[in-house]
Amino acid sequence: MNILFDFYHNLGWPLSLLVIATFVLAGTVKGVIGLGLPTVAMGLLGLAMAPSQAAALLIIPSTVTNLWQLAFGGHLRGLLQRLWPMLLAIFIGTGVGTLWIDMAESHWVVRGLGGALLLYALSGLCLPTLRVGSRTETWLGPICGIITGIITSATGVFVIPAVPYLQALGLSNDELVQAQGVSFTVSTLALAAGLLWRGSLGGGELGASLLALIPAVLGMWLGQWLRQRISAVLFRRVFFIGLGALGGHLLISG
């Protein structure tokens, strides 16, 4: 039982409270707009701890909530048949990035995290609706997967360019939500494998990540409740503006 709490004991109460508040907020964002849990978690926790620590904490909350997301919709088999080249490329890109980049030791990783968050925010606010044709999809999907994997291994953020790419495929809303769940699940498992290989994901980190699942799930329930009562479009805009400000701060301060 102590292994579940040792990580937080070493962090101290202020940082432990930050972790709890961060995962409640991240889960709420995911509950409202269907994505954002690892992005918010990495951004906020990156202010106070090493990106490798933050990435280790999000493994179980991200995996469970993404499996929850991809389990519903009825399109899983068709999406896997269509997206498997991109998904395989995400795993390969993350592996290559893990061999090349050490998230725990590189000071510029924090700036890379800030850059990834800022780029994602700008794409969400400014990028027009794009469309990818079937011929383009055959080669663009794997390229986006490789780039997403490398960014994942460096920053723990796995939305660029995977999310804009999926949004450009012309999927229905249900298909898009489920496709994002599949992509995020593969990215999370690939990130976990990389952290394990680097020695940044042990029993203490997994125990701490398991406990972080509780505020994340509470946040998702809160987000789903809020989704029925607020404008998802307005919430999404505010989310991207806040994420952009956070990314800019990390990019400048490092």
Side-chain angles (χ1 to χ4, degrees):
M1 180 61 70
N2 287 339
I3 199 171
L4 293 174
F5 298 99
D6 283 348
F7 186 93
Y8 293 103
H9 178 74
N10 293 331
L11 282 182
W13 277 109
L15 276 182
S16 296
L17 291 175
L18 173 64
V19 170
I20 294 170
T22 294
F23 277 101
V24 170
L25 177 60
T28 301
V29 170
K30 187 174 181 67
V32 174
I33 64 176
L35 49 83
L37 187 149
T39 310
V40 172
M42 287 299 300
L44 292 178
L45 295 179
L47 295 171
M49 63 179 64
S52 58
Q53 280 188 309
L57 283 174
L58 68 84
I59 293 300
I60 292 180
S62 180
T63 300
V64 172
T65 56
N66 287 324
L67 287 172
W68 182 355
Q69 181 174 334
L70 70 83
F72 301 98
H75 306 287
L76 183 58
R77 178 176 295 181
L79 289 171
L80 289 175
Q81 290 175 345
R82 181 175 183 178
L83 299 177
W84 72 264
M86 184 194 80
L87 301 175
L88 178 60
I90 287 174
F91 210 94
I92 294 173
T94 305
V96 171
T98 299
L99 296 174
W100 175 34
I101 304 166
D102 187 352
M103 193 187 296
E105 297 180 1
S106 301
H107 288 290
W108 60 266
V109 167
V110 177
R111 287 192 168 89
L113 172 59
L117 296 179
L118 182 59
L119 182 62
Y120 180 45
L122 291 175
S123 71
L125 289 170
C126 306
L127 194 67
T129 301
L130 304 174
R131 285 291 178 265
V132 173
S134 57
R135 291 185 178 179
T136 306
E137 184 179 342
T138 57
W139 59 265
L140 185 59
I143 291 176
C144 287
I146 289 288
I147 296 173
T148 298
I150 292 173
I151 293 175
T152 296
S153 68
T155 67
V157 174
F158 33 77
V159 291
I160 292 293
V163 170
Y165 171 77
L166 292 174
Q167 291 171 339
L169 293 180
L171 303 171
S172 68
N173 288 337
D174 288 343
E175 288 176 324
L176 179 59
V177 169
Q178 201 167 14
Q180 289 172 344
V182 173
S183 175
F184 297 161
T185 299
V186 170
S187 294
T188 303
L189 295 177
L191 176 63
L195 291 171
L196 187 64
W197 185 82
R198 281 284 185 185
S200 299
L201 186 63
E205 289 80 11
L206 284 173
S209 183
L210 180 61
L211 288 179
L213 177 63
I214 298 172
V217 170
L218 290 174
M220 276 198 69
W221 284 337
L222 175 60
Q224 290 172 345
W225 179 82
L226 285 174
R227 187 167 57 192
Q228 309 302 320
R229 291 162 175 80
I230 63 174
S231 168
V233 175
L234 176 61
F235 185 93
R236 188 182 183 92
R237 183 171 294 275
V238 172
F239 162 69
F240 280 124
I241 291 172
L243 196 67
L246 177 60
H249 172 73
L250 290 172
L251 183 61
I252 293 170
S253 68

